[in-house]
Structures are given as structure tokens and as C-alpha cells.
Amino acid sequence: MELDKIDKKLLSLLQTDTKQTTKELSLLLNLSVTAVYERIKKMERLGIIQQYVALLNRSKINKGFVVFCHVKLVQHTREYIADFESEVVKLNEVLECFHVSGDYDYILKICVGNMEEYREFMITKLTTLNHIGSTHSSFMIGEVKNTTVFELA
């Protein structure tokens, strides 16, 4: 599907605040409520809009200690990759996991309450996964940018 100017504006509005009603969106887009509703439903059907979520303030829920952990597997076999990926997705502390190129194979974004919780996570969960050769952790000092909004030019 080719997104037109109105679709892009609608997606921008939804990314900024998905709790807006179709009536509020229709006023902003100068469209009927039905037209806005149909556009949203079409983008949901096509998978352009995947889901609706609530973004939480990590510090308010005691998950403000953010760690980026680089993981290197002992080998790059299909079996080792599949095993690692199937296990890492089960770890609740891991918010994001990316298979990457370079010195390490994966980068994990991990959110916990503090250093002690991270140590416990490393000892009891992450390092118990099969096929991990080494890890390297970096700790967030401050957050410069964090957005979920894609610019659709």
C-alpha cells in the first residue's frame, strides 16, 4: 500500500497520542469520522499498524537501570543461533534483542531496578543460556533521545 499525505499525517497523530478519538482525528485531518476509521482499519489489516501499547515511565516502576549487553556466541551455527534466540525472548528483563554484525552477535536492552538486580539477572538467567561465549555490558548514564515516532516524509 502506498501511503498518501493524509495517511502519513494520521499515523503521525496516532504515534504521538493513540488515545485520540476518531472524531478528534477527523477534525485535525479535515475528514469524516468514517473516513478516519476506515483508514485506520485498513492500515491495521495491512499490518502497518501492528499494535497499540501504553509506554511506561521506567523509573516509576523500578526499572530505571538500563543496560546494553553485547553477547557473543561460541559459534555461529544455525542451531546455536536458534537456541539462543528461542531462550532470550523468554527473559522478561530483556526489552529488545538485536542480531547484529561486528565484534558481537547480539545487543540486548535490559531494564532492571539497580546494579544488584542486574548482577542477579546475569548470574541466574543470562549466563545460564547455552552457547554464550562472552558478554560486555554498558550502563545508561542518561537518556538523550527516546521516541517511538517514525517520521513519514
Side-chain angles (χ1 to χ4, degrees):
M1 171 185 169
E2 185 70 31
L3 298 175
D4 64 20
K5 191 175 180 178
I6 295 170
D7 291 328
K8 291 175 183 178
K9 177 69 175 167
L10 176 56
L11 288 170
S12 179
L13 292 167
L14 288 171
Q15 287 181 96
T16 305
D17 181 7
T18 193
K19 288 194 75 167
Q20 296 175 88
T21 65
T22 50
K23 182 175 183 176
E24 291 169 327
L25 293 166
S26 71
L27 293 171
L28 292 168
L29 296 168
N30 200 25
L31 293 174
S32 70
V33 171
T34 303
V36 170
Y37 176 82
E38 291 302 323
R39 282 176 182 262
I40 292 171
K41 287 299 168 198
K42 183 176 182 182
M43 289 188 277
E44 288 173 349
R45 275 194 315 277
L46 293 172
I48 294 168
I49 298 174
Q50 288 185 309
Q51 63 184 344
Y52 299 93
V53 299
L55 301 176
L56 307 181
N57 181 327
R58 288 187 306 269
S59 63
K60 301 259 184 199
I61 59 167
N62 194 31
K63 299 293 180 192
F65 192 77
V66 180
V67 182
F68 297 95
C69 182
H70 297 72
V71 175
K72 186 182 291 190
L73 300 182
V74 291
Q75 281 186 309
H76 300 106
T77 66
R78 186 180 306 261
E79 177 191 349
Y80 284 15
I81 289 169
D83 286 350
F84 175 78
E85 290 179 0
S86 70
E87 291 302 313
V88 78
V89 298
K90 297 174 187 173
L91 301 175
N92 293 331
E93 295 86 349
V94 177
L95 269 63
E96 299 176 48
C97 176
F98 302 97
H99 192 180
V100 298
S101 64
D103 293 336
Y104 289 90
D105 301 311
Y106 293 90
I107 298 175
L108 313 179
K109 180 180 178 183
I110 301 162
C111 294
V112 291
N114 53 45
M115 180 62 86
E116 292 78 26
E117 280 186 39
Y118 181 63
R119 182 179 187 280
E120 185 67 17
F121 167 78
M122 285 293 288
I123 293 169
T124 64
K125 294 183 180 181
L126 187 61
T127 58
T128 65
L129 299 184
N130 291 324
H131 317 306
I132 291 180
S134 65
T135 63
H136 174 84
S137 300
S138 299
F139 306 100
M140 181 182 76
I141 295 170
E143 190 169 83
V144 177
K145 180 178 181 179
N146 182 350
T147 185
T148 60
V149 179
F150 288 100
E151 181 65 35
L152 302 168

